[in-house]
Structures are given as C-alpha cells and as structure tokens.
Amino acid sequence: MEKLSNPQVTIQIIKKYDFAFQKRFGQNFLIDGHVIEKIIKAADITKEDTILEIGPGIGTMTQYLAEAAGKVYAVEIDKNLLPVLAETLGEYDNVEVINNDILKVDIKELLGEDAGNVKVVANLPYYITTPIIMGLFENHIPAKSITVMVQKEVALRMQAAPGTKDYGALSLAVQYYAQPYIVANVPPNCFMPRPNVGSAVIKLTRWDNPPVKVNDEKLMFDLIRASFNQRRKTLQNGINNAPNLNFTKEQVVEALKEMGLPETVRGEALTLEQFARLSDLLGK
Ligand code: SAM
C-alpha cells in the first residue's frame, strides 16, 4: 500500500476504520515523511538490527522501520488500532505487533535473543516519556540507542548542562546512562491531530560504561531526586527533607565541605561527578 506518511492515505485509513483519536493515549500521528526519514537516518538502522517501537499508532513509522530493520517489535496499548495495523503492516512479515502497555511489558522476555541487538525508536506518547525512558535504563535493557520524538522541552532537559534552567534529575539520569543528541526540532503541523507543544527528536546513545564511578547507584539517584525536589531550596535542605534518606544536617555539611562546596549550594550547581562523590562520601 502507499505510505501513511502521505496525509491523504492517513485520512483515508482513519475514515475507513472510523478511528477516534484518544487524547489519554497521547495519540498524535506523524504525517510528514521527511521527519520520519530523519528519525530513521539518526537511528542508524541496518538489517542486522532489531527495533522496539513504542506506540506504532496506525503504523506510519513502522512501515519505514520494517523496510530498514531485520525485525520490528511494535508495542501498542490501543486495541482499536489492531485491525488498522493488520492492514497497514500486512505486507511486512518482519513486524510483530504486541497489544499491551509498554510499562507492563517484560521487554527482555519479549525480545529474547534479539535483546542484545535492539534499538528503540518511537514517537512517544508524551504523558509517559520519563517512565518509559527511565524504565529502559533502570531495567538495564541492552538497547544500543534510543531515538525518540519527545516534547521539545523534555529534549532540552535531557541534554541540559549544570547551572542552566533546564538542568535537573532527568538530565543527570539520562546523561549517566547515555549521550544525548538533539537530532531535529519538529513543529506541530507534522502531526495529526496537532499537539499543543513543540516536539524534538533526540537520540540517546548508551555508554558502554557509565561516565562516572559510584559505589551505590541507587543512593546517588535518591540524592539527586531529593536535591531537585524543592528547586529553590538548598541541596542540604532537599536531602534533609527527603523521607527516604536518613542523613543528619552535619553529615551533609561535612560531605559538602570535603568537596569544597558551600553549605548553601543548590542541586543545579552540581555535576554528575559531584553527585557521585557526594553519594560515596555519605554512603561510607
Ligand atoms: N508511532 C505513531 C506515529 O508516529 O504516527 C504514533 C505515535 S503517538 C504520539 C503515541 C502512540 O503510543 C499512540 O499510538 C498510542 O496509542 C500509543 N501508546 C500510548 N500509551 C501507550 C502505552 N502505555 N503503551 C504502548 N503504547 C502506548
């Protein structure tokens, strides 16, 4: 069939199946072939690769993925899209559609032997961007890269450097696991229906080894979250007020002193290396 990136074809399919867009599932379908080609190019896909696509929608990007990759697993929550996908992906025998919530799927089990070769590619449902990305990292899914469309503001947060307004827990978490690179900005008119926000494609290339060494990853991330929980407060207050952390004020001040940082320092001033050091000092 003709590609769905042609908006007329998308409109025909939507009408034929009397499909009603579900806002609660973040359904904004791509209708721009150039944007899809940019995503495919950035993801650097070969026939050796297995792709995990999150939320294929009516299959617009899946058609391109199926042509470029060896195998595509496409996880879609909306069961109303299954008959549509059966038609739009009918000619590809290397696509498996899984009707499930991506946050509930055991991805390692799904991919089996293909897990080592996987690249994640998706136009993400924006309402669950962070849990999806953090889930992939924290469950240690061995994805080589994650190339995704996200809300522009979120892409900026993922790529932000210390001391900037976008810097926060998400920047640190993403940068601990991967190297972020914003591939393209994408305006609302590339989607149907148009989202209310700007979008961007970001590629996260997983580090072979994290860029910093830390004794207790979990403690470091608990400290990071606590430090940014109350943005305008000092790091020390954030850590003291965190119900899941049990450090005295003196312990935190002592650790900061040892690092040559003032008592009044805020979380946004610390680099990933400094959070790792703080975690090692407090965890001693
Ligand atoms: N890939 C399609 C495209 O680019 O045209 C659709 C992208 S749309 C932004 C997000 C898709 O994710 C929708 O098809 C939506 O139904 C699906 N989705 C939403 N929440 C999901 C979840 N928890 N698990 C799997 N898919 C989900």
Side-chain angles (χ1 to χ4, degrees):
M1 74 178 284
E2 209 190 325
K3 284 226 163 64
L4 293 154
S5 48
N6 173 348
Q8 294 312 321
V9 180
T10 286
I11 290 168
Q12 272 170 24
I13 285 284
I14 300 283
K15 279 203 181 133
K16 177 173 172 186
Y17 288 88
D18 199 16
F19 178 74
F21 288 92
Q22 301 250 25
K23 231 185 161 156
R24 71 188 165 114
F25 288 148
Q27 291 176 341
N28 300 94
F29 298 161
L30 272 166
I31 48 165
D32 186 315
H34 298 297
V35 172
I36 300 179
E37 278 160 18
K38 265 191 206 167
I39 298 174
I40 303 288
K41 186 158 178 258
D44 191 20
I45 303 167
T46 72
K47 283 282 166 195
E48 307 297 304
D49 292 318
T50 296
I51 304 295
L52 171 65
E53 186 187 14
I54 297 156
I58 56 173
T60 316
M61 188 157 66
T62 325
Q63 294 180 329
Y64 288 75
L65 292 169
E67 284 171 11
K71 168 96 193 172
V72 181
Y73 294 89
V75 179
E76 173 56 60
I77 197 170
D78 186 352
K79 68 174 182 341
N80 292 332
L81 287 166
L82 298 182
V84 184
L85 289 167
E87 175 175 344
T88 60
L89 302 176
E91 68 196 73
Y92 303 103
D93 56 12
N94 60 343
V95 181
E96 189 175 322
V97 175
I98 299 101
N99 180 211
N100 205 341
D101 177 344
I102 188 66
L103 298 178
K104 296 192 180 137
V105 174
D106 182 336
I107 298 173
K108 279 190 186 154
E109 192 187 299
L110 171 70
L111 300 177
E113 282 180 7
D114 292 336
N117 272 329
V118 79
K119 291 177 177 166
V120 177
V121 185
N123 169 17
L124 287 179
Y126 294 173
Y127 73 107
I128 43 171
T129 300
T130 303
I132 290 176
I133 301 284
M134 292 320 298
L136 291 170
F137 286 141
E138 285 170 357
N139 296 324
H140 298 283
I141 305 300
K144 291 183 188 146
S145 61
I146 301 175
T147 308
V148 282
M149 179 86 70
V150 298
Q151 205 175 316
K152 184 175 175 190
E153 185 196 305
V154 175
L156 292 173
R157 277 165 49 204
M158 289 181 180
Q159 213 192 26
T164 63
K165 74 169 176 20
D166 293 321
Y167 187 65
L170 183 65
S171 327
L172 283 152
V174 164
Q175 293 168 29
Y176 178 70
Y177 291 107
Q179 182 172 34
Y181 167 67
I182 295 182
V183 175
N185 288 321
V186 183
N189 62 9
C190 296
F191 302 86
M192 186 190 296
R194 296 178 183 200
N196 303 327
V197 292
S199 302
V201 178
I202 190 164
K203 180 173 187 182
L204 310 175
T205 307
R206 200 182 238 290
W207 302 116
D208 287 333
N209 295 300
V212 301
K213 274 208 160 68
V214 62
N215 295 332
D216 183 346
E217 238 174 57
K218 185 181 174 303
L219 174 60
M220 178 176 75
F221 282 115
D222 284 346
L223 289 167
I224 289 173
R225 267 187 286 268
S227 307
F228 287 97
N229 248 345
Q230 298 156 299
R231 249 205 115 87
R232 273 168 298 281
K233 295 236 171 104
T234 60
L235 173 141
Q236 193 203 122
N237 271 328
I239 293 176
N240 286 134
N241 294 339
N244 58 334
L245 292 171
N246 274 322
F247 299 110
T248 64
K249 220 177 150 132
E250 290 68 34
Q251 283 174 303
V252 181
V253 170
E254 186 57 33
L256 290 175
K257 211 166 132 193
E258 203 164 325
M259 293 169 65
L261 292 170
E263 271 182 43
T264 54
V265 73
R266 288 161 198 242
E268 64 246 40
L270 268 67
T271 62
L272 182 58
E273 289 74 15
Q274 286 172 314
F275 273 111
R277 178 93 204 285
L278 180 68
S279 167
D280 286 351
L281 286 170
L282 288 173
K284 259 198 311 218

mmCIF file of all heavy atoms in Angstrom, residues 25-30 53-58 60-61 75-78 81 100-103 123-125 127-128, ligand 1:
data_model
loop_
_atom_site.group_PDB
_atom_site.id
_atom_site.type_symbol
_atom_site.label_atom_id
_atom_site.label_comp_id
_atom_site.label_asym_id
_atom_site.label_seq_id
_atom_site.Cartn_x
_atom_site.Cartn_y
_atom_site.Cartn_z
ATOM 1 N N PHE A 25 -4.218 8.594 25.400
ATOM 2 C CA PHE A 25 -3.089 7.769 24.966
ATOM 3 C C PHE A 25 -2.035 8.603 24.224
ATOM 4 O O PHE A 25 -1.114 8.047 23.628
ATOM 5 C CB PHE A 25 -3.557 6.626 24.048
ATOM 6 C CG PHE A 25 -4.308 5.528 24.755
ATOM 7 C CD1 PHE A 25 -5.319 4.830 24.101
ATOM 8 C CD2 PHE A 25 -4.003 5.166 26.059
ATOM 9 C CE1 PHE A 25 -6.011 3.805 24.735
ATOM 10 C CE2 PHE A 25 -4.690 4.141 26.706
ATOM 11 C CZ PHE A 25 -5.700 3.459 26.043
ATOM 12 N N GLY A 26 -2.183 9.920 24.254
ATOM 13 C CA GLY A 26 -1.185 10.780 23.604
ATOM 14 C C GLY A 26 -1.083 10.530 22.110
ATOM 15 O O GLY A 26 0.008 10.493 21.549
ATOM 16 N N GLN A 27 -2.227 10.342 21.454
ATOM 17 C CA GLN A 27 -2.191 9.978 20.026
ATOM 18 C C GLN A 27 -2.075 11.189 19.107
ATOM 19 O O GLN A 27 -3.053 11.897 18.861
ATOM 20 C CB GLN A 27 -3.438 9.142 19.680
ATOM 21 C CG GLN A 27 -3.372 7.762 20.341
ATOM 22 C CD GLN A 27 -4.599 6.913 20.127
ATOM 23 O OE1 GLN A 27 -5.657 7.418 19.783
ATOM 24 N NE2 GLN A 27 -4.466 5.610 20.349
ATOM 25 N N ASN A 28 -0.877 11.425 18.637
ATOM 26 C CA ASN A 28 -0.614 12.432 17.610
ATOM 27 C C ASN A 28 0.221 11.732 16.554
ATOM 28 O O ASN A 28 1.392 11.452 16.781
ATOM 29 C CB ASN A 28 0.141 13.630 18.189
ATOM 30 C CG ASN A 28 -0.633 14.312 19.305
ATOM 31 O OD1 ASN A 28 -0.439 14.011 20.488
ATOM 32 N ND2 ASN A 28 -1.514 15.201 18.939
ATOM 33 N N PHE A 29 -0.399 11.419 15.427
ATOM 34 C CA PHE A 29 0.278 10.590 14.431
ATOM 35 C C PHE A 29 1.098 11.451 13.477
ATOM 36 O O PHE A 29 0.667 12.523 13.060
ATOM 37 C CB PHE A 29 -0.750 9.761 13.649
ATOM 38 C CG PHE A 29 -1.542 8.796 14.510
ATOM 39 C CD1 PHE A 29 -2.749 8.273 14.069
ATOM 40 C CD2 PHE A 29 -1.079 8.402 15.761
ATOM 41 C CE1 PHE A 29 -3.482 7.385 14.849
ATOM 42 C CE2 PHE A 29 -1.801 7.506 16.553
ATOM 43 C CZ PHE A 29 -3.007 7.005 16.095
ATOM 44 N N LEU A 30 2.259 10.940 13.128
ATOM 45 C CA LEU A 30 3.130 11.658 12.182
ATOM 46 C C LEU A 30 2.530 11.622 10.778
ATOM 47 O O LEU A 30 2.026 10.582 10.337
ATOM 48 C CB LEU A 30 4.510 11.000 12.162
ATOM 49 C CG LEU A 30 5.500 11.525 13.205
ATOM 50 C CD1 LEU A 30 6.684 10.578 13.320
ATOM 51 C CD2 LEU A 30 5.975 12.923 12.851
ATOM 52 N N GLU A 53 9.596 -0.627 18.769
ATOM 53 C CA GLU A 53 8.852 0.616 18.590
ATOM 54 C C GLU A 53 7.764 0.690 19.656
ATOM 55 O O GLU A 53 7.009 -0.266 19.842
ATOM 56 C CB GLU A 53 8.213 0.715 17.192
ATOM 57 C CG GLU A 53 7.573 2.094 17.020
ATOM 58 C CD GLU A 53 6.743 2.309 15.754
ATOM 59 O OE1 GLU A 53 6.409 1.317 15.083
ATOM 60 O OE2 GLU A 53 6.424 3.463 15.464
ATOM 61 N N ILE A 54 7.717 1.827 20.323
ATOM 62 C CA ILE A 54 6.704 2.018 21.366
ATOM 63 C C ILE A 54 5.592 2.876 20.784
ATOM 64 O O ILE A 54 5.836 4.002 20.355
ATOM 65 C CB ILE A 54 7.344 2.685 22.600
ATOM 66 C CG1 ILE A 54 8.414 1.760 23.183
ATOM 67 C CG2 ILE A 54 6.277 3.018 23.656
ATOM 68 C CD1 ILE A 54 9.468 2.474 23.985
ATOM 69 N N GLY A 55 4.380 2.322 20.707
ATOM 70 C CA GLY A 55 3.241 3.067 20.173
ATOM 71 C C GLY A 55 3.292 3.268 18.675
ATOM 72 O O GLY A 55 3.537 4.367 18.192
ATOM 73 N N PRO A 56 3.053 2.211 17.880
ATOM 74 C CA PRO A 56 3.087 2.361 16.419
ATOM 75 C C PRO A 56 1.928 3.184 15.858
ATOM 76 O O PRO A 56 2.008 3.621 14.703
ATOM 77 C CB PRO A 56 3.020 0.915 15.912
ATOM 78 C CG PRO A 56 2.354 0.156 17.011
ATOM 79 C CD PRO A 56 2.805 0.811 18.282
ATOM 80 N N GLY A 57 0.871 3.393 16.628
ATOM 81 C CA GLY A 57 -0.269 4.155 16.109
ATOM 82 C C GLY A 57 -0.919 3.403 14.963
ATOM 83 O O GLY A 57 -1.275 2.227 15.102
ATOM 84 N N ILE A 58 -1.032 4.050 13.792
ATOM 85 C CA ILE A 58 -1.583 3.343 12.623
ATOM 86 C C ILE A 58 -0.459 2.719 11.782
ATOM 87 O O ILE A 58 -0.713 2.187 10.718
ATOM 88 C CB ILE A 58 -2.468 4.269 11.746
ATOM 89 C CG1 ILE A 58 -1.684 5.509 11.293
ATOM 90 C CG2 ILE A 58 -3.739 4.679 12.498
ATOM 91 C CD1 ILE A 58 -2.450 6.370 10.285
ATOM 92 N N THR A 60 2.559 4.325 10.778
ATOM 93 C CA THR A 60 3.222 5.238 9.831
ATOM 94 C C THR A 60 4.742 5.059 9.830
ATOM 95 O O THR A 60 5.351 4.861 8.782
ATOM 96 C CB THR A 60 2.875 6.704 10.181
ATOM 97 O OG1 THR A 60 1.477 6.766 10.454
ATOM 98 C CG2 THR A 60 3.236 7.642 9.056
ATOM 99 N N MET A 61 5.355 5.118 11.015
ATOM 100 C CA MET A 61 6.813 4.973 11.086
ATOM 101 C C MET A 61 7.200 3.494 10.989
ATOM 102 O O MET A 61 8.276 3.153 10.496
ATOM 103 C CB MET A 61 7.339 5.591 12.386
ATOM 104 C CG MET A 61 8.842 5.654 12.419
ATOM 105 S SD MET A 61 9.440 6.908 13.534
ATOM 106 C CE MET A 61 8.898 6.257 15.100
ATOM 107 N N VAL A 75 4.902 -2.236 20.197
ATOM 108 C CA VAL A 75 4.011 -2.410 21.344
ATOM 109 C C VAL A 75 2.986 -1.271 21.372
ATOM 110 O O VAL A 75 3.352 -0.104 21.513
ATOM 111 C CB VAL A 75 4.807 -2.424 22.671
ATOM 112 C CG1 VAL A 75 3.868 -2.573 23.862
ATOM 113 C CG2 VAL A 75 5.842 -3.544 22.658
ATOM 114 N N GLU A 76 1.727 -1.603 21.217
ATOM 115 C CA GLU A 76 0.659 -0.597 21.135
ATOM 116 C C GLU A 76 -0.429 -0.914 22.164
ATOM 117 O O GLU A 76 -0.955 -2.018 22.210
ATOM 118 C CB GLU A 76 0.076 -0.586 19.712
ATOM 119 C CG GLU A 76 -1.144 0.287 19.507
ATOM 120 C CD GLU A 76 -0.938 1.751 19.910
ATOM 121 O OE1 GLU A 76 -0.065 2.418 19.345
ATOM 122 O OE2 GLU A 76 -1.656 2.217 20.832
ATOM 123 N N ILE A 77 -0.807 0.093 22.946
ATOM 124 C CA ILE A 77 -1.783 -0.125 24.021
ATOM 125 C C ILE A 77 -3.225 -0.152 23.505
ATOM 126 O O ILE A 77 -4.083 -0.825 24.085
ATOM 127 C CB ILE A 77 -1.625 0.978 25.104
ATOM 128 C CG1 ILE A 77 -2.306 0.566 26.410
ATOM 129 C CG2 ILE A 77 -2.171 2.319 24.626
ATOM 130 C CD1 ILE A 77 -1.996 1.487 27.588
ATOM 131 N N ASP A 78 -3.495 0.581 22.427
ATOM 132 C CA ASP A 78 -4.886 0.793 21.996
ATOM 133 C C ASP A 78 -5.362 -0.347 21.088
ATOM 134 O O ASP A 78 -4.942 -0.457 19.931
ATOM 135 C CB ASP A 78 -4.967 2.144 21.260
ATOM 136 C CG ASP A 78 -6.392 2.536 20.908
ATOM 137 O OD1 ASP A 78 -7.310 1.701 21.098
ATOM 138 O OD2 ASP A 78 -6.582 3.673 20.439
ATOM 139 N N LEU A 81 -6.529 -0.052 17.444
ATOM 140 C CA LEU A 81 -5.589 0.125 16.326
ATOM 141 C C LEU A 81 -5.172 -1.203 15.697
ATOM 142 O O LEU A 81 -4.569 -1.220 14.627
ATOM 143 C CB LEU A 81 -4.350 0.897 16.812
ATOM 144 C CG LEU A 81 -4.583 2.387 17.060
ATOM 145 C CD1 LEU A 81 -3.434 2.999 17.852
ATOM 146 C CD2 LEU A 81 -4.751 3.124 15.741
ATOM 147 N N ASN A 100 -0.242 -4.202 24.231
ATOM 148 C CA ASN A 100 -0.014 -4.132 25.672
ATOM 149 C C ASN A 100 0.460 -2.726 26.039
ATOM 150 O O ASN A 100 0.795 -1.923 25.168
ATOM 151 C CB ASN A 100 1.039 -5.168 26.081
ATOM 152 C CG ASN A 100 0.913 -5.595 27.535
ATOM 153 O OD1 ASN A 100 0.295 -4.897 28.351
ATOM 154 N ND2 ASN A 100 1.515 -6.714 27.871
ATOM 155 N N ASP A 101 0.472 -2.480 27.350
ATOM 156 C CA ASP A 101 1.002 -1.235 27.891
ATOM 157 C C ASP A 101 2.520 -1.417 28.016
ATOM 158 O O ASP A 101 2.970 -2.340 28.707
ATOM 159 C CB ASP A 101 0.348 -1.019 29.261
ATOM 160 C CG ASP A 101 0.867 0.221 29.969
ATOM 161 O OD1 ASP A 101 1.922 0.761 29.573
ATOM 162 O OD2 ASP A 101 0.219 0.630 30.950
ATOM 163 N N ILE A 102 3.288 -0.559 27.377
ATOM 164 C CA ILE A 102 4.751 -0.728 27.386
ATOM 165 C C ILE A 102 5.314 -0.755 28.816
ATOM 166 O O ILE A 102 6.312 -1.412 29.086
ATOM 167 C CB ILE A 102 5.468 0.367 26.544
ATOM 168 C CG1 ILE A 102 6.961 0.083 26.380
ATOM 169 C CG2 ILE A 102 5.273 1.765 27.133
ATOM 170 C CD1 ILE A 102 7.322 -1.111 25.595
ATOM 171 N N LEU A 103 4.632 -0.073 29.739
ATOM 172 C CA LEU A 103 5.137 -0.041 31.115
ATOM 173 C C LEU A 103 4.906 -1.377 31.831
ATOM 174 O O LEU A 103 5.434 -1.612 32.912
ATOM 175 C CB LEU A 103 4.503 1.105 31.902
ATOM 176 C CG LEU A 103 4.791 2.516 31.353
ATOM 177 C CD1 LEU A 103 4.069 3.568 32.176
ATOM 178 C CD2 LEU A 103 6.285 2.811 31.325
ATOM 179 N N ASN A 123 7.867 7.493 18.328
ATOM 180 C CA ASN A 123 7.250 8.798 18.514
ATOM 181 C C ASN A 123 6.446 8.598 19.799
ATOM 182 O O ASN A 123 5.374 8.007 19.775
ATOM 183 C CB ASN A 123 6.378 9.109 17.291
ATOM 184 C CG ASN A 123 5.495 10.313 17.490
ATOM 185 O OD1 ASN A 123 5.718 11.116 18.392
ATOM 186 N ND2 ASN A 123 4.488 10.449 16.639
ATOM 187 N N LEU A 124 7.019 8.998 20.915
ATOM 188 C CA LEU A 124 6.486 8.581 22.224
ATOM 189 C C LEU A 124 5.164 9.253 22.586
ATOM 190 O O LEU A 124 4.936 10.409 22.208
ATOM 191 C CB LEU A 124 7.498 8.901 23.333
ATOM 192 C CG LEU A 124 8.744 8.031 23.404
ATOM 193 C CD1 LEU A 124 9.645 8.518 24.546
ATOM 194 C CD2 LEU A 124 8.399 6.554 23.611
ATOM 195 N N PRO A 125 4.323 8.522 23.353
ATOM 196 C CA PRO A 125 3.183 9.189 23.979
ATOM 197 C C PRO A 125 3.747 10.090 25.095
ATOM 198 O O PRO A 125 4.369 9.588 26.031
ATOM 199 C CB PRO A 125 2.352 8.020 24.545
ATOM 200 C CG PRO A 125 3.279 6.843 24.608
ATOM 201 C CD PRO A 125 4.395 7.075 23.658
ATOM 202 N N TYR A 127 2.752 11.740 27.592
ATOM 203 C CA TYR A 127 2.359 11.712 29.011
ATOM 204 C C TYR A 127 3.184 10.724 29.834
ATOM 205 O O TYR A 127 3.167 10.786 31.069
ATOM 206 C CB TYR A 127 0.847 11.440 29.157
ATOM 207 C CG TYR A 127 0.435 10.002 28.852
ATOM 208 C CD1 TYR A 127 0.072 9.122 29.872
ATOM 209 C CD2 TYR A 127 0.418 9.521 27.545
ATOM 210 C CE1 TYR A 127 -0.297 7.820 29.590
ATOM 211 C CE2 TYR A 127 0.055 8.228 27.255
ATOM 212 C CZ TYR A 127 -0.303 7.375 28.282
ATOM 213 O OH TYR A 127 -0.640 6.085 27.997
ATOM 214 N N ILE A 128 3.886 9.802 29.173
ATOM 215 C CA ILE A 128 4.703 8.841 29.942
ATOM 216 C C ILE A 128 6.153 8.776 29.436
ATOM 217 O O ILE A 128 6.824 7.745 29.576
ATOM 218 C CB ILE A 128 4.094 7.413 29.959
ATOM 219 C CG1 ILE A 128 3.577 7.027 28.565
ATOM 220 C CG2 ILE A 128 3.042 7.277 31.036
ATOM 221 C CD1 ILE A 128 3.160 5.563 28.470
HETATM 222 N N1 SAM B 1 4.106 5.992 16.025
HETATM 223 C C1 SAM B 1 2.865 6.635 15.620
HETATM 224 C C2 SAM B 1 3.181 7.805 14.730
HETATM 225 O O1 SAM B 1 4.289 8.325 14.838
HETATM 226 O O2 SAM B 1 2.312 8.230 13.969
HETATM 227 C C3 SAM B 1 2.011 7.052 16.829
HETATM 228 C C4 SAM B 1 2.675 7.952 17.844
HETATM 229 S S1 SAM B 1 1.570 8.580 19.081
HETATM 230 C C5 SAM B 1 2.462 10.034 19.580
HETATM 231 C C6 SAM B 1 1.835 7.540 20.510
HETATM 232 C C7 SAM B 1 1.312 6.116 20.374
HETATM 233 O O3 SAM B 1 1.587 5.423 21.595
HETATM 234 C C8 SAM B 1 -0.188 6.010 20.157
HETATM 235 O O4 SAM B 1 -0.451 5.089 19.146
HETATM 236 C C9 SAM B 1 -0.724 5.491 21.497
HETATM 237 O O5 SAM B 1 -1.905 4.745 21.396
HETATM 238 C C10 SAM B 1 0.452 4.667 21.995
HETATM 239 N N2 SAM B 1 0.513 4.494 23.467
HETATM 240 C C11 SAM B 1 0.100 5.351 24.424
HETATM 241 N N3 SAM B 1 0.357 4.880 25.651
HETATM 242 C C12 SAM B 1 0.950 3.670 25.465
HETATM 243 C C13 SAM B 1 1.451 2.667 26.360
HETATM 244 N N4 SAM B 1 1.389 2.821 27.702
HETATM 245 N N5 SAM B 1 1.987 1.543 25.842
HETATM 246 C C14 SAM B 1 2.058 1.372 24.486
HETATM 247 N N6 SAM B 1 1.603 2.275 23.602
HETATM 248 C C15 SAM B 1 1.066 3.409 24.067
#
